[in-house]
Structures are given as structure tokens and as C-alpha cells.
Coordinates of all heavy atoms in Angstrom, one line a residue:
M5 N 63.7 3.7 135.1 CA 63.7 4.5 133.9 C 65.0 4.5 133.3 O 66.0 4.7 133.9 CB 63.3 6.0 134.3 CG 63.2 6.9 133.2 SD 62.8 8.6 133.6 CE 61.3 8.4 134.5
S6 N 65.0 4.1 132.0 CA 66.3 4.1 131.3 C 66.5 5.3 130.4 O 65.5 5.8 129.9 CB 66.3 2.8 130.4 OG 65.3 2.9 129.4
Y7 N 67.7 5.8 130.4 CA 68.0 7.0 129.7 C 68.8 6.6 128.4 O 69.6 5.7 128.4 CB 68.9 7.9 130.5 CG 68.1 8.6 131.6 CD1 68.0 8.1 132.9 CD2 67.4 9.8 131.3 CE1 67.3 8.7 133.9 CE2 66.7 10.4 132.3 CZ 66.6 9.9 133.6 OH 65.9 10.5 134.5
R8 N 68.6 7.4 127.4 CA 69.4 7.2 126.2 C 70.3 8.4 126.1 O 70.0 9.5 126.6 CB 68.4 7.2 124.9 CG 67.5 6.1 124.9 CD 66.6 6.1 123.7 NE 65.7 5.1 123.8 CZ 64.4 5.2 123.7 NH1 63.9 6.4 123.6 NH2 63.6 4.2 123.8
K9 N 71.4 8.2 125.4 CA 72.4 9.3 125.3 C 72.4 9.9 123.9 O 72.1 9.2 123.0 CB 73.8 8.8 125.6 CG 74.0 8.4 127.0 CD 75.4 8.0 127.3 CE 75.6 7.6 128.8 NZ 76.9 7.2 129.1
I10 N 72.5 11.3 123.9 CA 72.5 12.0 122.6 C 73.5 13.1 122.8 O 73.6 13.7 123.8 CB 71.1 12.5 122.3 CG1 71.1 12.9 120.8 CG2 70.7 13.6 123.1 CD1 69.7 13.1 120.3
E11 N 74.3 13.3 121.7 CA 75.3 14.4 121.8 C 74.8 15.6 120.9 O 74.4 15.5 119.8 CB 76.6 13.9 121.2 CG 77.8 14.9 121.4 CD 79.1 14.3 121.0 OE1 79.3 13.1 120.9 OE2 80.0 15.1 120.8
V12 N 74.9 16.8 121.6 CA 74.5 18.0 120.9 C 75.6 19.0 121.1 O 75.9 19.4 122.2 CB 73.2 18.6 121.5 CG1 72.8 19.9 120.8 CG2 72.1 17.5 121.4
D13 N 76.3 19.4 120.0 CA 77.4 20.4 120.0 C 78.4 20.0 121.0 O 78.9 20.9 121.8 CB 76.8 21.8 120.3 CG 75.9 22.3 119.2 OD1 76.0 21.8 118.0 OD2 75.0 23.1 119.5
G14 N 78.8 18.8 121.1 CA 79.9 18.3 122.0 C 79.5 18.1 123.4 O 80.3 17.6 124.2
T15 N 78.2 18.3 123.8 CA 77.7 18.0 125.1 C 76.8 16.8 125.1 O 76.0 16.7 124.2 CB 76.9 19.2 125.7 OG1 77.7 20.4 125.6 CG2 76.5 19.0 127.1
V16 N 77.1 15.8 126.0 CA 76.3 14.6 126.0 C 75.1 14.8 127.0 O 75.3 15.2 128.1 CB 77.1 13.4 126.5 CG1 76.2 12.2 126.6 CG2 78.2 13.2 125.5
F17 N 73.9 14.6 126.4 CA 72.6 14.7 127.2 C 72.1 13.3 127.4 O 72.2 12.5 126.5 CB 71.6 15.6 126.5 CG 72.0 17.1 126.5 CD1 72.7 17.6 125.5 CD2 71.5 17.9 127.5 CE1 73.0 18.9 125.4 CE2 71.8 19.3 127.4 CZ 72.6 19.8 126.4
E18 N 71.4 13.1 128.5 CA 70.7 11.8 128.6 C 69.2 12.1 128.7 O 68.8 13.1 129.4 CB 71.1 11.1 129.9 CG 72.6 10.7 129.8 CD 73.0 9.9 131.1 OE1 72.3 9.0 131.5 OE2 74.1 10.2 131.6
Y19 N 68.4 11.4 128.0 CA 67.0 11.7 128.0 C 66.1 10.4 128.0 O 66.6 9.3 127.7 CB 66.6 12.5 126.7 CG 66.7 11.6 125.4 CD1 65.5 11.0 124.9 CD2 67.9 11.5 124.7 CE1 65.6 10.2 123.7 CE2 67.9 10.7 123.6 CZ 66.8 10.1 123.1 OH 66.8 9.3 122.0
S20 N 64.9 10.6 128.4 CA 64.0 9.5 128.5 C 62.6 10.0 128.0 O 62.2 11.1 128.4 CB 63.8 9.0 129.9 OG 62.9 8.0 130.0
V21 N 61.9 9.2 127.2 CA 60.6 9.6 126.7 C 59.6 8.8 127.4 O 59.6 7.6 127.3 CB 60.5 9.3 125.2 CG1 59.2 9.8 124.6 CG2 61.6 10.1 124.4
G22 N 58.7 9.5 128.1 CA 57.6 8.9 128.8 C 56.3 9.0 128.1 O 56.2 9.4 126.9
R23 N 55.2 8.7 128.8 CA 53.9 8.8 128.2 C 53.5 10.2 127.8 O 52.9 10.4 126.8 CB 52.9 8.2 129.2 CG 51.5 8.2 128.6 CD 50.5 7.5 129.5 NE 50.8 6.1 129.5 CZ 50.1 5.2 130.1 NH1 49.0 5.5 130.7 NH2 50.5 3.9 130.0
S24 N 53.8 11.2 128.7 CA 53.4 12.5 128.5 C 54.5 13.5 128.4 O 54.3 14.7 127.9 CB 52.4 13.0 129.5 OG 53.0 13.0 130.8
H25 N 55.7 13.2 128.9 CA 56.8 14.1 128.9 C 58.1 13.5 128.4 O 58.3 12.3 128.4 CB 57.1 14.6 130.4 CG 56.0 15.6 130.9 ND1 54.7 15.2 131.2 CD2 56.1 16.9 131.1 CE1 54.1 16.2 131.6 NE2 54.8 17.3 131.5
V26 N 59.0 14.4 128.1 CA 60.4 14.0 127.7 C 61.3 14.6 128.9 O 61.2 15.8 129.1 CB 60.8 14.6 126.4 CG1 62.3 14.3 126.1 CG2 60.0 14.1 125.2
K27 N 62.0 13.7 129.5 CA 62.8 14.1 130.6 C 64.3 14.1 130.1 O 64.8 13.1 129.6 CB 62.7 13.2 131.8 CG 63.6 13.7 133.0 CD 63.3 12.9 134.2 CE 64.2 13.4 135.3 NZ 64.2 12.5 136.5
I28 N 65.0 15.3 130.3 CA 66.4 15.4 130.0 C 67.1 15.5 131.3 O 66.9 16.5 132.0 CB 66.7 16.6 129.0 CG1 65.8 16.5 127.8 CG2 68.1 16.7 128.7 CD1 65.8 17.7 126.9
K29 N 67.9 14.6 131.6 CA 68.6 14.5 132.9 C 69.4 15.7 133.2 O 70.2 16.2 132.3 CB 69.5 13.2 132.9 CG 69.9 12.7 134.2 CD 70.6 11.4 134.1 CE 70.7 10.7 135.4 NZ 71.3 9.4 135.3
H30 N 69.2 16.3 134.3 CA 69.9 17.5 134.8 C 69.5 18.7 134.0 O 70.2 19.7 134.1 CB 71.4 17.3 134.8 CG 71.9 16.1 135.6 ND1 71.7 15.9 136.9 CD2 72.6 15.0 135.2 CE1 72.2 14.8 137.3 NE2 72.8 14.2 136.3
V31 N 68.5 18.7 133.3 CA 68.0 19.9 132.6 C 66.5 20.1 133.0 O 66.2 21.2 133.4 CB 68.1 19.7 131.0 CG1 67.5 20.8 130.3 CG2 69.6 19.5 130.6
G32 N 65.7 19.1 132.8 CA 64.3 19.3 133.1 C 63.4 18.3 132.4 O 63.8 17.5 131.6
A33 N 62.1 18.5 132.6 CA 61.0 17.7 131.9 C 60.2 18.6 131.1 O 59.8 19.7 131.6 CB 60.2 16.9 133.0
F34 N 59.8 18.2 129.9 CA 59.1 19.0 129.0 C 58.0 18.2 128.4 O 58.1 17.0 128.0 CB 60.0 19.5 127.9 CG 61.3 20.2 128.4 CD1 62.5 19.5 128.6 CD2 61.2 21.5 128.8 CE1 63.6 20.1 129.1 CE2 62.3 22.1 129.3 CZ 63.5 21.4 129.5
P35 N 56.8 18.8 128.1 CA 55.7 18.0 127.5 C 56.0 17.6 126.1 O 56.7 18.3 125.4 CB 54.6 19.1 127.4 CG 54.9 20.2 128.4 CD 56.4 20.2 128.5
K36 N 55.6 16.4 125.8 CA 55.9 15.8 124.5 C 55.4 16.6 123.4 O 56.1 16.7 122.3 CB 55.4 14.4 124.4 CG 56.2 13.3 125.1 CD 55.5 12.0 125.1 CE 55.5 11.4 123.8 NZ 55.0 10.0 123.8
H37 N 54.3 17.3 123.5 CA 53.8 18.0 122.4 C 54.6 19.3 122.1 O 54.5 19.8 121.0 CB 52.3 18.4 122.6 CG 52.1 19.4 123.7 ND1 51.9 19.0 125.0 CD2 52.0 20.7 123.7 CE1 51.7 20.1 125.8 NE2 51.8 21.1 125.0
K38 N 55.5 19.7 123.0 CA 56.4 20.8 122.7 C 57.6 20.4 122.1 O 58.3 21.2 121.4 CB 56.7 21.6 124.0 CG 55.5 22.2 124.6 CD 55.9 23.5 125.4 CE 54.7 24.1 126.0 NZ 54.3 25.3 125.4
V39 N 58.0 19.1 122.2 CA 59.3 18.6 121.7 C 59.0 17.9 120.4 O 59.8 18.1 119.4 CB 59.9 17.6 122.7 CG1 61.2 17.0 122.2 CG2 60.1 18.3 124.1
G40 N 58.0 17.0 120.3 CA 57.8 16.2 119.1 C 56.8 16.7 118.1 O 56.4 17.8 118.1
H41 N 56.3 15.7 117.3 CA 55.3 16.0 116.3 C 53.9 15.4 116.8 O 53.8 14.3 117.1 CB 55.6 15.3 115.0 CG 56.9 15.8 114.4 ND1 57.0 17.0 113.8 CD2 58.1 15.3 114.4 CE1 58.2 17.2 113.3 NE2 58.9 16.2 113.7
V42 N 52.9 16.3 116.8 CA 51.6 15.9 117.1 C 51.0 15.2 115.9 O 50.8 15.7 114.9 CB 50.7 17.1 117.6 CG1 49.3 16.7 117.9 CG2 51.4 17.8 118.7
I43 N 50.6 13.9 116.1 CA 50.0 13.1 115.1 C 48.5 13.3 115.1 O 47.9 13.6 114.1 CB 50.3 11.6 115.2 CG1 51.8 11.3 115.3 CG2 49.6 10.8 114.2 CD1 52.6 11.8 114.1
D44 N 47.9 13.2 116.2 CA 46.4 13.5 116.4 C 46.2 13.9 117.9 O 47.2 14.1 118.6 CB 45.5 12.3 116.0 CG 45.8 11.0 116.8 OD1 46.4 11.1 117.9 OD2 45.3 9.9 116.3
E45 N 45.0 13.9 118.3 CA 44.7 14.4 119.7 C 45.4 13.5 120.7 O 45.7 14.0 121.8 CB 43.2 14.4 119.8 CG 42.7 15.0 121.1 CD 41.2 15.0 121.3 OE1 40.6 15.0 120.2 OE2 40.7 15.1 122.4
Y46 N 45.6 12.2 120.4 CA 46.0 11.3 121.4 C 47.5 10.8 121.2 O 48.0 10.0 122.0 CB 45.1 10.1 121.5 CG 43.7 10.5 121.8 CD1 42.7 10.5 120.8 CD2 43.3 10.9 123.1 CE1 41.4 10.8 121.1 CE2 42.1 11.2 123.4 CZ 41.1 11.2 122.4 OH 39.8 11.6 122.7
E47 N 48.1 11.2 120.1 CA 49.4 10.6 119.8 C 50.4 11.7 119.5 O 50.1 12.5 118.6 CB 49.3 9.6 118.7 CG 50.6 8.9 118.4 CD 50.4 7.8 117.3 OE1 49.3 7.6 116.8 OE2 51.4 7.2 117.0
V48 N 51.6 11.6 120.1 CA 52.7 12.5 119.8 C 53.9 11.7 119.6 O 54.2 10.8 120.4 CB 52.9 13.5 121.0 CG1 54.1 14.4 120.7 CG2 51.7 14.3 121.2
R49 N 54.7 11.9 118.6 CA 55.9 11.1 118.3 C 57.1 12.0 118.5 O 57.1 13.2 118.1 CB 55.9 10.6 116.9 CG 54.7 9.7 116.7 CD 55.1 8.5 115.9 NE 54.0 7.6 115.8 CZ 53.6 7.0 114.7 NH1 54.3 7.2 113.6 NH2 52.6 6.2 114.7
V50 N 58.1 11.5 119.2 CA 59.3 12.2 119.5 C 60.5 11.4 119.0 O 60.7 10.2 119.3 CB 59.5 12.4 121.0 CG1 60.8 13.1 121.3 CG2 58.3 13.2 121.6
R51 N 61.2 12.0 118.0 CA 62.4 11.3 117.5 C 63.7 12.0 118.1 O 63.6 13.1 118.5 CB 62.4 11.5 116.0 CG 61.2 10.9 115.3 CD 61.2 11.1 113.8 NE 61.0 12.5 113.6 CZ 61.0 13.1 112.4 NH1 61.2 12.4 111.3 NH2 60.8 14.4 112.3
P52 N 64.8 11.3 118.0 CA 66.0 11.9 118.5 C 66.4 13.2 117.9 O 66.8 14.2 118.5 CB 67.1 10.8 118.2 CG 66.4 9.5 118.2 CD 65.0 9.9 117.6
G53 N 66.0 13.4 116.6 CA 66.3 14.6 115.9 C 65.4 15.8 116.5 O 65.9 17.0 116.5
D54 N 64.2 15.4 116.9 CA 63.4 16.4 117.6 C 64.0 16.9 118.9 O 63.9 18.1 119.2 CB 62.0 15.8 117.9 CG 61.3 15.4 116.6 OD1 61.5 16.0 115.5 OD2 60.4 14.5 116.7
I55 N 64.6 16.0 119.6 CA 65.2 16.4 120.9 C 66.4 17.3 120.6 O 66.6 18.3 121.3 CB 65.6 15.1 121.7 CG1 64.3 14.4 122.1 CG2 66.4 15.5 122.9 CD1 64.5 13.1 122.7
V56 N 67.3 16.9 119.7 CA 68.4 17.8 119.3 C 68.0 19.2 118.9 O 68.5 20.2 119.3 CB 69.2 17.1 118.2 CG1 70.3 18.1 117.6 CG2 69.9 15.8 118.6
A57 N 66.9 19.3 118.1 CA 66.4 20.6 117.6 C 65.9 21.4 118.8 O 66.1 22.6 118.9 CB 65.4 20.4 116.6
F58 N 65.2 20.7 119.7 CA 64.6 21.4 120.9 C 65.7 21.9 121.8 O 65.7 23.1 122.2 CB 63.8 20.3 121.7 CG 63.1 20.9 122.9 CD1 61.9 21.7 122.7 CD2 63.5 20.8 124.1 CE1 61.2 22.2 123.8 CE2 62.9 21.2 125.2 CZ 61.7 22.0 125.1
I59 N 66.8 21.1 122.0 CA 67.9 21.6 122.9 C 68.6 22.8 122.2 O 68.9 23.8 122.9 CB 68.9 20.4 123.1 CG1 68.3 19.4 124.0 CG2 70.2 20.9 123.7 CD1 69.0 18.1 124.2
K60 N 68.8 22.7 120.9 CA 69.5 23.8 120.2 C 68.6 25.1 120.2 O 69.2 26.2 120.4 CB 69.9 23.4 118.8 CG 71.0 22.5 118.7 CD 71.4 22.1 117.2 CE 72.5 21.2 117.1 NZ 72.9 21.0 115.7
F61 N 67.3 24.9 119.9 CA 66.5 26.1 119.8 C 66.4 26.8 121.1 O 66.4 28.1 121.1 CB 65.1 25.6 119.4 CG 64.1 26.8 119.2 CD1 64.2 27.5 118.0 CD2 63.1 27.0 120.1 CE1 63.3 28.6 117.8 CE2 62.3 28.1 119.9 CZ 62.3 28.9 118.8
Y62 N 66.3 26.1 122.2 CA 66.1 26.8 123.5 C 67.4 27.0 124.2 O 67.5 27.6 125.3 CB 65.2 26.0 124.4 CG 63.7 26.1 124.0 CD1 63.1 25.1 123.3 CD2 63.0 27.3 124.2 CE1 61.8 25.2 122.8 CE2 61.7 27.4 123.8 CZ 61.1 26.4 123.1 OH 59.8 26.6 122.7
G63 N 68.5 26.5 123.6 CA 69.9 26.7 124.2 C 70.0 26.1 125.6 O 70.6 26.7 126.5
L64 N 69.5 24.9 125.7 CA 69.5 24.2 127.0 C 70.9 23.8 127.4 O 71.7 23.4 126.6 CB 68.6 23.0 127.0 CG 67.1 23.3 126.7 CD1 66.3 22.0 126.7 CD2 66.5 24.3 127.7
K65 N 71.2 23.9 128.7 CA 72.5 23.4 129.2 C 72.3 22.5 130.4 O 71.3 22.5 131.1 CB 73.3 24.6 129.7 CG 73.5 25.7 128.7 CD 74.5 25.3 127.7 CE 74.8 26.5 126.8 NZ 75.3 26.1 125.5
V66 N 73.3 21.6 130.6 CA 73.2 20.7 131.8 C 73.5 21.5 133.0 O 74.5 22.3 133.1 CB 74.3 19.6 131.6 CG1 74.4 18.7 132.8 CG2 74.0 18.8 130.4
K67 N 72.6 21.4 134.0 CA 72.7 22.2 135.2 C 73.9 21.8 136.1 O 74.6 22.6 136.7 CB 71.4 22.1 136.1 CG 70.3 22.8 135.4 CD 69.0 22.6 136.3 CE 67.8 23.2 135.5 NZ 66.6 22.9 136.3
R68 N 74.2 20.5 136.1 CA 75.3 20.0 136.9 C 75.7 18.6 136.3 O 75.0 17.9 135.7 CB 75.0 19.8 138.3 CG 73.9 18.7 138.6 CD 73.7 18.5 140.1 NE 72.7 17.5 140.3 CZ 73.0 16.2 140.3 NH1 74.2 15.7 140.1 NH2 72.1 15.3 140.6
E69 N 77.0 18.3 136.5 CA 77.5 17.0 136.1 C 77.2 16.0 137.2 O 77.2 16.3 138.4 CB 79.0 17.1 135.8 CG 79.3 17.9 134.6 CD 78.9 17.2 133.3 OE1 78.9 15.9 133.2 OE2 78.4 17.9 132.4
D70 N 77.1 14.7 136.8 CA 76.9 13.7 137.7 C 78.2 13.4 138.4 O 79.2 12.9 137.7 CB 76.3 12.4 137.0 CG 75.9 11.4 138.0 OD1 76.0 11.6 139.2 OD2 75.4 10.3 137.5
K71 N 78.4 13.6 139.7 CA 79.6 13.5 140.4 C 80.0 12.0 140.5 O 81.2 11.7 140.7 CB 79.6 14.1 141.7 CG 79.4 15.6 141.7 CD 79.3 16.2 143.0 CE 79.1 17.7 142.9 NZ 78.9 18.4 144.2
R72 N 79.1 11.1 140.4 CA 79.4 9.7 140.6 C 79.9 9.1 139.3 O 80.5 8.0 139.3 CB 78.1 8.9 140.9 CG 77.6 9.3 142.3 CD 76.4 8.6 142.7 NE 75.3 9.2 141.8 CZ 74.1 8.7 141.7 NH1 73.7 7.7 142.4 NH2 73.2 9.3 141.0
R73 N 79.7 9.7 138.1 CA 80.2 9.2 136.9 C 81.7 9.3 136.8 O 82.3 10.4 137.1 CB 79.5 9.9 135.7 CG 79.9 9.3 134.4 CD 79.1 9.9 133.3 NE 79.0 11.4 133.4 CZ 78.4 12.1 132.5 NH1 77.8 11.6 131.5 NH2 78.4 13.4 132.7
K74 N 82.4 8.3 136.4 CA 83.9 8.3 136.3 C 84.2 8.6 134.9 O 83.6 8.1 133.9 CB 84.4 7.0 136.7 CG 84.2 6.7 138.2 CD 84.7 5.3 138.6 CE 84.4 5.1 140.0 NZ 84.9 3.8 140.5
A75 N 85.3 9.4 134.7 CA 85.7 9.8 133.4 C 86.5 8.7 132.7 O 86.9 7.7 133.1 CB 86.6 11.0 133.5

């Protein structure tokens, strides 16, 4: 699974969009229909702006930093 990086208010989040969920690393997994735009019964689109708005609206924080990552 590959993660994309996005910065929200100075904090870098890593996220991946799957078939049914959006996973934000060290935060949690959320159903796509709660994060993105429902097109029809079978299709939901998630844009990076949707993820930024979701993180800001719910005030999500990174639970822990990856200790293996070097500064």
C-alpha cells in the first residue's frame, strides 16, 4: 500500500485511498462516503482537498510519530 503525503496546519499526514476506506497513517481508517463526494450508489470520489477538510473538521491528530523515520 502506497501512502501520499499531505500537510494540514503544519502537520504532515500520510494517507491512502482504498476501495471502500481512506486510511490515514497513525490516525485511523474512515469510510470513503464520510470523507469524499458520493457520485452515485456505487461510486465515491475522494480528492486531497476532501481529506484536508475532513482532518480539520474533526480535529484529527497523529497518534504517534514513526520512530524509524529519520529527520
Side-chain angles (χ1 to χ4, degrees):
M5 183 181 301
S6 64
Y7 286 93
R8 298 180 184 124
K9 293 184 180 183
I10 195 165
E11 186 173 343
V12 179
D13 296 334
T15 304
V16 177
F17 291 88
E18 294 182 46
Y19 71 95
S20 177
V21 179
R23 181 176 289 188
S24 63
H25 285 75
V26 175
K27 183 176 180 187
I28 303 174
K29 200 172 196 177
H30 305 301
V31 177
F34 307 95
K36 281 174 71 173
H37 68 272
K38 295 213 181 246
V39 179
H41 297 284
V42 178
I43 303 299
D44 61 19
E45 186 178 338
Y46 301 106
E47 186 175 1
V48 178
R49 299 224 175 134
V50 178
R51 298 177 295 177
D54 298 332
I55 295 172
V56 170
F58 185 79
I59 290 170
K60 286 182 178 182
F61 182 78
Y62 287 103
L64 300 178
K65 304 285 183 202
V66 174
K67 292 180 185 174
R68 66 175 180 84
E69 288 293 324
D70 190 359
K71 294 178 182 178
R72 294 178 288 173
R73 186 171 46 179
K74 295 179 182 178

